[in-house]
């Protein structure tokens, strides 16, 4: 919870004076303690929205955080039509997908470190894993859609050769 007038711009209230006013007529400051956990979820991880249509009125992007507990793997999933960019903040999460460019589909595991980036194309099934037995993994996510699209899957599968 924030106090009106707190921060760099005390003349801006935390919410528009007119609740019917559009969210898109001002710059928004989303504080770390104000992230919204009421967003699409996948088992084994927890997503928090910072920038979305719901929180700030964005129309073309979604941004937030994902937390993966120690020794945990998410469910297999994809993000529909959304492109996803990931920045590793802490921990060493691993991103797993199937590559079918060879004779047999092969599981690929991308091991990351803080400061690394990952790009997940639309519709690519994957999962996040945190093999560390004690440290939570935290990543910042940006998506090309205004809300977090999450399609949970019963298993990983490789994309067809034509990419659809």
């Amino acid at each position: 919870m924030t106090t009106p007038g707190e921060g760099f711009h005390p003349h801006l209230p935390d919410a528009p004076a007119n609740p019917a006013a559009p969210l898109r007529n001002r710059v928004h400051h989303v504080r770390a303690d104000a992230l919204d956990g009421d967003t699409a979820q996948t088992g084994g991880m927890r997503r928090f929205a910072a920038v979305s249509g719901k929180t700030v009125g964005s129309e073309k992007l979604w941004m937030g955080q994902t937390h993966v507990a120690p020794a945990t793997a998410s469910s297999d999933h994809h993000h529909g039509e959304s492109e996803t960019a990931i920045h590793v903040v802490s921990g060493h999460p691993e991103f797993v997908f199937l590559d079918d460019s060879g004779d047999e589909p092969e599981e690929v595991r991308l091991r990351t470190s803080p400061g690394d980036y990952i790009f997940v194309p639309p519709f690519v099934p994957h999962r996040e894993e945190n093999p560390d037995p004690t440290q939570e993994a935290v990543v910042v996510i940006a998506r090309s859609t205004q809300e977090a699209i999450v399609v949970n899957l019963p298993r990983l599968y490789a994309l067809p050769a034509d990419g659809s």
Side-chain angles (χ1 to χ4, degrees), residues 52 69 73 80 120 163:
S52 70
V120 181

Side-chain angles (χ1 to χ4, degrees), residues 48-83:
F48 299 92
V51 174
S52 70
K54 178 180 167 186
T55 62
V56 300
S58 63
E59 293 180 355
K60 297 180 182 175
L61 80 100
W62 182 96
M63 189 171 192
Q65 287 183 2
T66 298
H67 296 244
V68 182
T72 302
S74 75
S75 300
D76 299 332
H77 62 280
H78 69 72
H79 301 291
E81 66 186 322
S82 184
E83 293 183 327

